[in-house]
Amino acid sequence: MKAKTDLQARARELRLRGRTYAEITAELGCSKSSVSLWVRDLPKPARRVEQGKRAARARWDRELAARDVERRATKEAARRDVGPLTDRELFLVGTALYWAEGAKDKAYDRRESILFVNSDPGVILVFLAWLRLLGVDGHRIGYRVMIHESADVRAAEEYWAQLAGVDRSRLSGTTLKKHNPRTVRKNTGEGYRGCLVLYVRQSADIYRRVEGAWCGIVGAVDSINRAECPN
């Protein structure tokens, strides 16, 4: 009986030292089930837990890497599928983009002019290409940066001017947003450049064309829906 008690005590001591069931069984010459019974109330060895976490982390990293490869491949295939844009396609894309992001005329607030604000460089490039398609002369386009006052304002101005292909002197006075220290902002760091505001001078006629084109897009979609779902 004393021998069994000694084995139990020894098993518990080894377990507290971080030994596995297999290691304890091999050293004491007893069954794994007995070891499990004797030490089941003890915590798992910390080093084993850490090893398990590292192994799980490694498996997850491999999974993330595989997903990233798949993600990149899907995006690249979609990019290739687009191919060159016709003028009509660019016109429709730009019209939808403006109606989603641009300033719009309201019955209670007449503003028939082109005004567009965005922080995505790609969106800005598409919008500028759309304006060129509409025949808007570059000198009619105004530019202004909107950014938090705590950011690198000059760097942002230089970035947007270069993207738009204009000299920094073409930018109107930058609009600075007041910094609220109680607000936790994620749009910080070197990659934060605020937004670029683009407006077209004397653009009431263009605005009306855009609104009419958007109504045409909606009407075309509505016709499709009614054709697919007849009364």
Side-chain angles (χ1 to χ4, degrees):
M1 187 67 179
K2 183 178 183 302
K4 184 176 181 180
T5 302
D6 289 344
L7 279 176
Q8 292 176 354
R10 181 59 177 161
R12 293 177 67 82
E13 178 185 351
L14 293 173
R15 185 60 170 176
L16 290 172
R17 291 182 181 179
R19 301 292 182 83
T20 64
Y21 285 177
E23 291 170 341
I24 297 172
T25 297
E27 182 166 336
L28 300 184
C30 51
S31 67
K32 186 176 180 179
S33 59
S34 294
V35 172
S36 175
L37 179 64
W38 295 338
V39 304
R40 62 185 178 183
D41 61 315
L42 298 179
K44 292 182 179 181
R47 66 186 180 94
R48 301 297 177 182
V49 173
E50 289 303 317
Q51 288 175 354
K53 288 182 178 179
R54 286 196 295 271
R57 180 72 252 180
R59 289 194 298 272
W60 182 239
D61 286 344
R62 288 193 294 272
E63 174 67 19
L64 289 179
R67 291 185 186 183
D68 191 55
V69 170
E70 181 181 1
R71 183 182 299 109
R72 290 173 181 270
T74 301
K75 291 180 180 180
E76 177 58 24
R79 186 192 67 79
R80 290 196 303 268
D81 286 344
V82 172
L85 289 180
T86 64
D87 287 351
R88 173 178 169 78
E89 289 169 341
L90 177 57
F91 175 72
L92 295 176
V93 168
T95 298
L97 185 62
Y98 184 83
W99 211 251
E101 296 290 326
K104 287 167 284 286
D105 179 51
K106 305 293 183 184
Y108 54 84
D109 186 12
R110 289 298 179 193
R111 294 186 179 182
E112 291 184 320
S113 59
I114 298 295
L115 175 66
F116 190 81
V117 184
N118 210 273
S119 62
D120 188 307
V123 168
I124 295 296
L125 289 175
V126 171
F127 182 73
L128 288 170
W130 179 70
L131 289 180
R132 289 194 295 271
L133 178 67
L134 295 179
V136 176
D137 186 272
H139 294 291
R140 292 173 58 195
I141 304 174
Y143 308 87
R144 176 165 50 86
V145 175
M146 293 177 60
I147 194 168
H148 284 86
E149 60 182 357
S150 57
D152 189 338
V153 176
R154 182 181 179 84
E157 292 173 345
E158 291 176 347
Y159 172 82
W160 288 117
Q162 182 178 8
L163 182 80
V166 297
D167 190 81
R168 183 165 163 261
S169 62
R170 286 281 310 280
L171 301 181
S172 300
T174 295
T175 300
L176 298 178
K177 301 178 183 178
K178 295 294 183 182
H179 176 63
N180 185 350
R182 292 177 297 178
T183 301
V184 179
R185 290 174 41 233
K186 295 183 179 180
N187 55 342
T188 59
E190 293 182 2
Y192 172 61
R193 305 181 183 94
C195 300
L196 182 64
V197 181
L198 298 104
Y199 52 93
V200 180
R201 301 177 182 89
Q202 299 177 341
S203 54
D205 182 63
I206 296 175
Y207 177 86
R208 292 164 190 162
R209 288 166 55 193
V210 172
E211 182 171 341
W214 175 248
C215 291
I217 292 172
V218 174
V221 171
D222 185 54
S223 297
I224 293 172
N225 290 338
R226 284 187 280 109
E228 292 179 348
C229 304
N231 294 327

